[in-house]
Amino acid sequence: MARLLNTSHLALHSGIRLFTDRTTKIRIKEMDKTLLQHGFDMNLVEQTATPFYYYDMDILSETLQEIQRQTRGYPFTVHYALKANGNPHILKVIANHGLGADLVSGGEVKAAIEAGFDPKEMTFSGVGKTDWEIKLGLENNMGCFNVESIPELEIINQLAAEMGMKANIAFRVNPDIDAHTHKYITTGTADNKFGIGIEVLEQTVMHALALPNIHLRGLHFHIGSQITMMQPYAMLCDTINDLLDFYDERGIHFEMINVGGGLGIDYTEPDQHPIPDFDQYFGTFKRQLRLRPGQRLHFELGRAIVGGCGSLISRITFVKESRNKRFIILDAGMTDLIRPALYQAHHEVQNLTAEPGSPTKTYDVVGPVCESSDVFAQDRALPVSHRGDIVAIRSAGAYGESMASQYNMRQLPSCVFANDKYYKKSRI
Ligand SMILES: Cc1ncc(COP(=O)(O)O)c(C=O)c1O
């Protein structure tokens, strides 16, 4: 799929029409190596000051279309988790595909409204919503507050009463399921701060049903991030099935269930798998979850939607050899992409300007920031590299630009959006 998407950049320059056949695509690629490397439009890359995010908008569109294909005909609503990437241009594309929005701050609420998401299809998560953020959600008739504690429930009820309205809510349930992912991105176990424990859920539900300015719509779950095995989701389905049986017996019906996000992407083979296996993912819920008549299933995907379409492009400032190590020092750093420093996350690193087939050497790929953790990759075999070479750090569309900072008083990275009618714009 990636190759097809990539040929669109080529078509812009060469006037060649797009082919879907794989061999033809490879032939086109070989014809014009100066224009295309690992799917990157090299003219565009070389004209742009580094570091910057390169978004392949064709991959994003294909991803969104695949989600639409997989959910058509099912009572499913997919929300996009803005925290993964809040770039306004990307938000508009996602909103135009009809997705809802999953938000965690007042800033995200404003960005989602600006981008054209439907407030009725917005969910507002987070353990520490402040009063102004709750009021903003209420003013906009937000589809659902995912409530994480009884104090939060009571404040939402009070603020809704002051505004003369009813707040739509779901309880975020902590199902105590270990998604076997990195400890900083697991969220559904009893030891972390998120959600309401199953043991106190019944009393919390009864409490909410008695509050005059609360409309309890359903239950919400989110078990973690970068989940690539379906077993934790299957376990989540079992837990939800049991809970629905329990509440059915008590005559309590939920209009929706929200299973959160967390679907992972393939960080090791971005060219082969630019789009996650949505068939397996949605299939797990289609098979395992016993939704009740009229009940809708909500999803809140972030990484799976935008992760594969973005890469961080950087130039090599220096190649440095020390006694034990050989370093590639980039002009991008942890301020542009913090995931490797924060979670020891793996990203493929590709030298886009090295001669294809050139010999390799082992490098540590690092940034210029004054922190020892400013490392993108350790002991990586890469083509022999030189000052001025251009490097792509792949699969950086999610939690890349949105987590960028100006530590060391560095500039925020700019970004380009590439498809057959590309244009360029700076970060807003
Ligand atoms: C409540 C909630 N929903 C959705 C997401 C999106 O997760 P992902 O990007 O892994 O799909 C997160 C991520 O932290 C979250 O906390």
Side-chain angles (χ1 to χ4, degrees):
M1 185 130 29
R3 296 277 71 82
L4 164 63
L5 300 165
N6 296 335
T7 54
S8 64
H9 313 312
L10 184 59
L12 174 71
H13 298 284
S14 59
I16 299 168
R17 79 178 179 84
L18 300 182
F19 295 94
T20 51
D21 168 69
R22 190 172 180 82
T23 51
T24 313
K25 277 176 257 151
I26 290 165
R27 190 166 58 73
I28 292 171
K29 190 176 166 214
E30 283 168 1
M31 269 166 47
D32 205 338
K33 290 197 179 80
T34 56
L35 289 186
L36 204 67
Q37 278 288 8
H38 290 285
F40 292 97
D41 176 332
M42 291 307 291
N43 285 350
L44 176 56
V45 163
E46 278 169 4
Q47 282 164 25
T48 310
T50 51
F52 64 94
Y53 276 94
Y54 181 112
Y55 294 110
D56 186 325
M57 301 308 279
D58 292 323
I59 291 185
L60 178 60
S61 299
E62 274 288 309
T63 305
L64 293 164
Q65 284 159 25
E66 178 63 10
I67 290 174
Q68 287 172 326
R69 260 195 297 278
Q70 292 292 337
T71 55
R72 198 168 293 135
Y74 290 85
F76 292 178
T77 302
V78 179
H79 298 88
Y80 167 61
L82 261 79
K83 63 171 82 69
N85 190 319
N87 184 292
H89 184 59
I90 288 188
L91 293 187
K92 282 205 180 91
V93 173
I94 297 173
N96 284 342
H97 278 76
L99 272 71
D102 168 47
L103 314 162
V104 290
S105 74
E108 287 192 356
V109 174
K110 289 179 185 173
I113 290 167
E114 189 118 317
F117 285 94
D118 178 357
K120 280 197 244 39
E121 298 300 348
M122 290 184 190
T123 58
F124 197 169
S125 306
V127 288
K129 301 172 193 78
T130 58
D131 291 14
W132 78 267
E133 291 175 313
I134 294 169
K135 283 187 203 159
L136 183 66
L138 289 169
E139 276 159 16
N140 285 287
N141 284 314
M142 184 161 289
C144 196
F145 288 89
N146 292 331
V147 174
E148 307 232 10
S149 65
I150 291 182
E152 182 191 337
L153 174 72
E154 285 172 350
I155 287 297
I156 292 178
N157 180 58
Q158 182 193 316
L159 295 174
E162 286 168 13
M163 294 169 71
M165 49 195 305
K166 268 196 172 209
N168 297 312
I169 71 142
F171 281 119
R172 176 167 179 175
V173 184
N174 187 329
D176 199 14
I177 290 173
D178 189 350
H180 301 294
T181 182
H182 190 277
K183 67 175 187 260
Y184 287 174
I185 49 177
T186 184
T187 55
T189 65
D191 289 344
N192 60 53
K193 68 180 177 182
F194 298 104
I196 290 165
I198 282 193
E199 63 292 349
V200 292
L201 184 61
E202 188 187 0
Q203 74 192 63
T204 313
V205 165
M206 299 318 282
H207 185 38
L209 290 175
L211 290 175
N213 295 86
I214 293 291
H215 168 57
L216 177 59
R217 292 189 65 198
L219 301 178
H220 169 252
F221 305 81
H222 174 76
I223 55 174
S225 214
Q226 185 48 21
I227 299 169
T228 49
M229 310 294 280
M230 291 303 113
Q231 198 218 3
Y233 287 123
M235 284 165 67
L236 176 61
C237 290
D238 292 343
T239 303
I240 296 172
N241 287 336
D242 290 347
L243 279 171
L244 291 180
D245 288 344
F246 178 86
Y247 285 102
D248 272 355
E249 283 163 21
R250 283 153 185 77
I252 296 171
H253 179 72
F254 298 112
E255 47 188 91
M256 41 83 50
I257 296 296
N258 184 333
V259 288
L263 176 64
I265 61 170
D266 189 342
Y267 280 102
T268 54
E269 294 191 319
D271 288 326
Q272 287 84 340
H273 305 123
I275 298 175
D277 191 344
F278 289 115
D279 183 28
Q280 244 207 86
Y281 174 70
F282 289 115
T284 303
F285 294 98
K286 289 174 192 171
R287 278 190 306 277
Q288 298 260 149
L289 195 60
R290 287 185 281 109
L291 286 179
R292 304 306 191 246
Q295 204 165 48
R296 287 196 73 82
L297 185 58
H298 289 196
F299 300 85
E300 297 169 345
L301 295 172
R303 184 191 317 269
I305 295 175
V306 290
C309 75
S311 298
L312 178 61
I313 309 292
S314 177
R315 250 179 218 279
I316 298 179
T317 309
F318 297 113
V319 176
K320 167 178 168 175
E321 306 220 6
S322 68
R323 185 139 40 100
N324 303 321
K325 287 271 187 188
R326 190 178 297 113
F327 295 99
I328 286 175
I329 303 172
L330 298 178
D331 60 6
M334 62 191 288
T335 52
D336 306 298
L337 175 65
I338 201 172
R339 298 189 68 256
L342 191 61
Y343 312 126
Q344 297 87 47
H346 176 94
H347 287 266
E348 281 300 304
V349 178
Q350 293 163 339
N351 185 324
L352 300 183
T353 40
E355 274 303 307
S358 55
T360 61
K361 282 187 176 173
T362 303
Y363 296 96
D364 278 12
V365 182
V366 303
V369 175
C370 295
E371 297 288 334
S372 310
S373 58
D374 187 22
V375 177
F376 289 113
Q378 275 182 314
D379 296 325
R380 222 36 101 76
L382 288 168
V384 173
S385 297
H386 307 280
R387 171 176 164 82
D389 284 357
I390 299 178
V391 161
I393 303 175
R394 301 296 305 275
S395 318
Y399 306 105
E401 191 185 339
S402 62
M403 293 178 101
S405 79
Q406 291 195 285
Y407 179 49
N408 280 195
M409 292 193 178
R410 285 169 55 77
Q411 274 198 327
L412 290 171
S414 63
C415 52
V416 301
F417 306 94
N419 59 23
D420 53 0
K421 283 197 232 75
Y422 70 77
Y423 65 95
K424 184 175 142 182
K425 120 178 173 182
S426 294
R427 188 173 204 275
I428 294 174

